[in-house]
Amino acid sequence: MTLKWENITLYTGTGEKLTQSAIVVEDGKIVATGQEAVKMAASKTIDGKGKTILPGLFDMHIHLGMDGVADPFAEMAKETQASSAYRHQANAVKQLQSGVTSVRNLGSKWHVDLAYRNAVNAGLLTGPTVYGSGQPIVMTGGHGYPMASEADGEDEVRKAARQTLKQGADVLKLMATGGVMTPGVDPGSPQLSEKEMRAAVEEALHAGKTTASHAQGTQGIQNAVRAGITTIEHGIFLDDETIELMIEYGTVLVPTLAAPYYIVQNADSGAIPPHAVKKAIFCLDAHQESFRKAVKAGVKIAAGTDAGTPFNLHGDFAKELELMHECGMPIRDIITSATYQAASALNVQDQTGSLEKGKVADFIVLSEDPEDNISAFRSVDAVYKGGTLVHGHSNRESVYTK
């Protein structure tokens, strides 16, 4: 069947906006967009007057094994592999229903995200496309160690990288600095060294994979950039020198503005570990200012939320986009950061990430235009994955059903 949406506003994901436009899909792929699509006939046509279509969104930093509870590491300590797998599916469905058709999962204990990805790819479950890191690689006692593979020195890190790639990781996650949630570590302090991270980066490159580094402090960010990391996660303390270095290396920033924001917003709940509240309050303003400076300087940005951290719920991707806008990023650039730029950071931009002929038909239908109203990202009328309606008012089947 050929499906056509017509009379729509369409953002391609590459910076172009088309009005009174159309999109035609068949066999899971985009057949045409723009004027070519307007002129085409289709076996099923939907009048999209007043609607806006975007490429399916990418959340480039999530934790499917974490729910957004106040103390995720305490919950994880009671988890089993089986219960974690169920949690992955429940959280992934929330992502899909919010318009996120692709996720980069940056840390799951027992590499459960890789098994979940395989189940989705095999058609056992309906969920977003998953690009997984398995367990992150950290120094002994480093940030996130309760869910990670601990390794010290270049040889151990190289071996841990190879073992993680053996498990089927799409991306290697490395901890360059301390972080907010782990007790006893400083977000600004370096952890894995430049040489240690370079060993893992080399192994990823040999396997044709990408890398991501949790990096909050300035020195740790610079270590990661010089090591050849694909994306910097968080980037809380960016100075001019570090920003210039990122531009020189082509390093992508995944800001996750929502992560400290939600901890600070819920600081008085009494449920979040006090060490995390203290560190988040200290980091919040610097984080937003670093993002503003990075955007102004022209650093590549890919949108990501760190969903699963305290009160940072799956399915709330729109909040990250709203915070990016509040910090000065134009709407059209935000859309690119959540679509084409994200796909590029995963090296899959030739297959997905924009609404172009021949690409996978992942797209979402909004009831408003985000350039008219930023809250339009919350008004998701329909979600298509591979040309199939997986969420929407006209979809009478549950997304759990195949």
Side-chain angles (χ1 to χ4, degrees):
M1 182 186 76
T2 307
L3 171 67
K4 178 181 179 179
W5 275 82
E6 62 182 9
N7 297 324
I8 57 168
T9 296
L10 185 145
Y11 289 89
T12 63
T14 56
E16 190 175 10
K17 177 182 180 179
L18 308 176
T19 58
Q20 290 299 304
S21 190
I23 182 172
V24 178
V25 303
E26 185 176 20
D27 296 330
K29 296 291 184 70
I30 298 171
V31 175
T33 58
Q35 287 305 304
E36 181 184 0
V38 169
K39 297 173 183 177
M40 289 183 66
S43 53
K44 180 178 180 181
T45 299
I46 300 173
D47 186 352
K49 185 177 181 180
K51 307 295 185 183
T52 297
I53 288 184
L54 311 179
L57 303 174
F58 284 67
D59 190 334
M60 288 289 281
H61 190 134
I62 70 167
H63 298 280
L64 287 171
M66 294 158 54
D67 286 337
V69 297
D71 190 348
F73 286 155
E75 179 182 69
M76 198 176 297
K78 300 179 291 185
E79 194 85 276
T80 66
Q81 292 187 46
S83 61
S84 179
Y86 291 127
R87 197 179 305 282
H88 276 64
Q89 169 64 356
N91 290 328
V93 166
K94 294 173 185 176
Q95 291 280 354
L96 192 62
Q97 291 175 339
S98 72
V100 175
T101 57
S102 298
V103 299
R104 190 175 61 153
N105 191 83
L106 290 183
S108 283
K109 193 174 182 180
W110 304 296
H111 307 295
V112 171
D113 58 333
L114 306 181
Y116 176 71
R117 173 204 62 198
N118 294 344
V120 172
N121 291 347
L124 298 175
L125 300 166
T126 298
T129 300
V130 177
Y131 302 92
S133 73
Q135 294 191 166
I137 299 170
V138 309
M139 74 176 197
T140 297
H143 176 60
Y145 73 86
M147 61 187 294
S149 301
E150 294 175 296
D152 301 301
E154 293 175 59
D155 290 344
E156 283 192 12
V157 170
R158 189 179 300 276
K159 185 170 184 178
R162 289 174 175 174
Q163 289 174 330
T164 306
L165 291 166
K166 180 182 178 182
Q167 294 294 322
D170 302 295
V171 54
L172 293 182
K173 168 82 174 294
L174 305 160
M175 301 298 194
T177 71
V180 169
M181 289 308 301
T182 306
V185 302
D186 179 355
S189 65
Q191 293 197 346
L192 288 176
S193 70
E194 180 181 334
K195 290 182 178 179
E196 287 172 320
M197 287 186 282
R198 185 176 293 118
V201 169
E202 287 176 357
E203 295 305 318
L205 290 173
H206 294 164
K209 306 296 183 180
T210 58
T211 50
S213 180
H214 165 100
Q216 298 185 347
T218 307
Q219 185 60 55
I221 297 169
Q222 292 183 5
N223 289 344
V225 172
R226 286 192 296 263
I229 288 288
T230 309
T231 65
I232 293 294
E233 310 302 307
H234 317 302
I236 290 175
F237 299 103
L238 293 174
D239 60 12
D240 292 340
E241 179 186 354
T242 308
I243 287 172
E244 290 175 8
L245 195 66
M246 292 181 70
I247 292 172
E248 177 187 346
Y249 278 77
T251 314
V252 179
L253 174 65
V254 180
T256 70
L257 298 173
Y261 171 86
Y262 273 121
I263 292 176
V264 172
Q265 288 293 306
N266 293 278
D268 294 335
S269 69
I272 304 172
H275 67 265
V277 172
K278 182 178 180 181
K279 287 187 279 188
I281 291 172
F282 175 73
C283 290
L284 183 65
D285 289 344
H287 192 189
Q288 295 184 352
E289 181 57 28
S290 289
F291 176 72
R292 291 187 187 98
K293 289 167 63 176
V295 170
K296 186 176 180 179
V299 173
K300 295 177 182 178
I301 308 291
T305 61
D306 209 359
T309 53
F311 296 92
N312 189 2
L313 304 180
H314 293 276
D316 191 25
F317 187 60
K319 186 60 182 181
E320 182 71 21
L321 308 186
E322 291 163 359
L323 290 170
M324 292 165 74
H325 187 52
E326 288 175 17
C327 289
M329 196 170 188
I331 297 293
R332 214 169 296 189
D333 291 345
I334 289 171
I335 292 171
T336 299
S337 79
T339 56
Y340 185 78
Q341 184 59 67
S344 297
L346 286 161
N347 288 336
V348 295
Q349 71 275 15
D350 291 339
Q351 293 84 45
T352 186
S354 59
L355 299 181
E356 298 178 275
K357 185 176 181 178
K359 292 193 175 184
V360 174
D362 289 354
F363 64 96
I364 65 174
V365 183
L366 305 181
S367 62
E368 297 180 82
D369 184 339
E371 286 194 322
D372 295 336
N373 183 359
I374 184 68
S375 66
F377 290 116
R378 298 186 177 276
S379 60
V380 179
D381 280 356
V383 180
Y384 288 81
K385 186 167 183 281
T388 298
L389 181 65
V390 293
H391 176 69
H393 297 306
S394 62
N395 184 20
R396 298 183 181 277
E397 294 185 346
S398 165
V399 292
Y400 295 99
T401 304
K402 292 300 295 180

